[in-house]
Amino acid sequence: MIDNVIQEYWQPIVESYRRGETALPLYMGLNQNGYDALMLAMGIELAMGLESIPLSREVEEKLQLRLELMNMRVSELEELERLLVESLNSDVVLGSEMVTVLASACLGSQHLWRDLGMPERPRLTALFRDYFPSLHASNNRNMRWKRFLYRQLCENGGDYVCRSPSCEECASYSECFDIAAK
Ligand code: SF4
């Protein structure tokens, strides 16, 4: 399982992050120790490895700015993390790291699979199946993942995306549901 989740999920996330192609902040939302531990778990040699594949200055500045912006939305981030933790599959490795990284990616402005650095949406759906099975089961209407998570927060009393009590009556329906994709 560990090889599988690293190859299927972590590898594309980290590679996209290092190219500056995600919405993730510095250290992908983790603290530096957590990020270093993740690199070790993925088999990247820290002593030499991080220096041998350095982030460009431009990418590093962008990541630092994102970190500052993320720090202005801490309560939203914590709500997302709580939601994800409730559904976390404890049998899968690097679960708490995935909670933090996924919640951090939710603060981006594009579709979650893009903001997270996934190659396509079905890979993100598989990630939810393996890491967050009850959320995966609840999203049985193929709702866009970021919208789905915020919908859960709205139902818990938050005030993030929902401008209508029911999706069927809502003007934002097409923004929330990916009718074409399965
Ligand atoms: S369609 Fe409207 S009510 Fe439903 S989740 Fe989207 S914003 Fe909220």
Side-chain angles (χ1 to χ4, degrees):
M1 187 63 157
I2 183 162
D3 287 348
N4 192 41
V5 298
I6 285 180
Q7 202 176 337
E8 290 294 308
Y9 310 134
W10 284 107
Q11 200 163 324
I13 293 171
V14 170
E15 285 176 1
S16 301
Y17 164 77
R18 295 196 67 84
R19 288 194 299 266
E21 294 173 358
T22 70
L24 293 169
L26 196 60
Y27 304 128
M28 298 169 39
L30 302 165
N31 60 34
Q32 186 168 5
N33 287 343
Y35 181 79
D36 291 348
L38 174 64
M39 294 300 104
L40 276 177
M42 291 181 62
I44 296 176
E45 288 293 332
L46 273 187
M48 296 287 292
L50 290 183
E51 282 167 11
S52 67
I53 43 171
L55 297 172
S56 72
R57 187 180 172 80
E58 188 190 354
V59 168
E60 203 167 327
E61 283 175 359
K62 200 159 67 171
L63 297 175
Q64 182 64 44
L65 179 65
R66 283 218 195 95
L67 185 62
E68 287 162 23
L69 292 172
M70 192 179 86
N71 287 337
M72 296 165 72
R73 295 169 71 183
V74 170
S75 62
E76 181 181 339
L77 189 67
E78 287 174 349
E79 279 195 62
L80 286 161
E81 286 179 335
R82 270 197 295 277
L83 176 68
L84 292 167
V85 164
E86 282 170 14
S87 174
L88 182 61
N89 176 2
S90 57
D91 293 336
V92 188
V93 295
L94 300 170
S96 63
E97 289 83 354
M98 185 57 83
V99 166
T100 302
V101 171
L102 193 56
S104 303
C106 284
L107 303 190
S109 57
Q110 298 191 64
H111 292 310
L112 184 53
W113 65 269
R114 285 188 195 278
D115 282 339
L116 191 61
M118 283 287 172
E120 75 278 311
R121 185 176 187 267
R123 191 81 65 97
L124 177 62
T125 299
L127 185 157
F128 270 94
R129 181 198 62 214
D130 289 345
Y131 271 100
F132 308 105
S134 61
L135 285 171
H136 180 266
S138 299
N139 189 9
N140 54 10
R141 296 174 64 194
N142 199 30
M143 198 168 179
R144 297 181 200 276
W145 279 109
K146 194 181 292 183
R147 286 280 175 156
F148 172 75
L149 295 177
Y150 277 94
R151 175 62 163 165
Q152 303 300 303
L153 296 188
C154 288
E155 284 178 357
N156 293 342
D159 184 20
Y160 290 105
V161 295
C162 301
R163 292 169 286 274
S164 166
S166 116
C167 295
E168 282 67 26
E169 298 163 15
C170 183
S172 299
Y173 190 90
S174 63
E175 293 168 37
C176 291
F177 290 89
D178 191 357
I179 297 159
K182 290 284 172 196

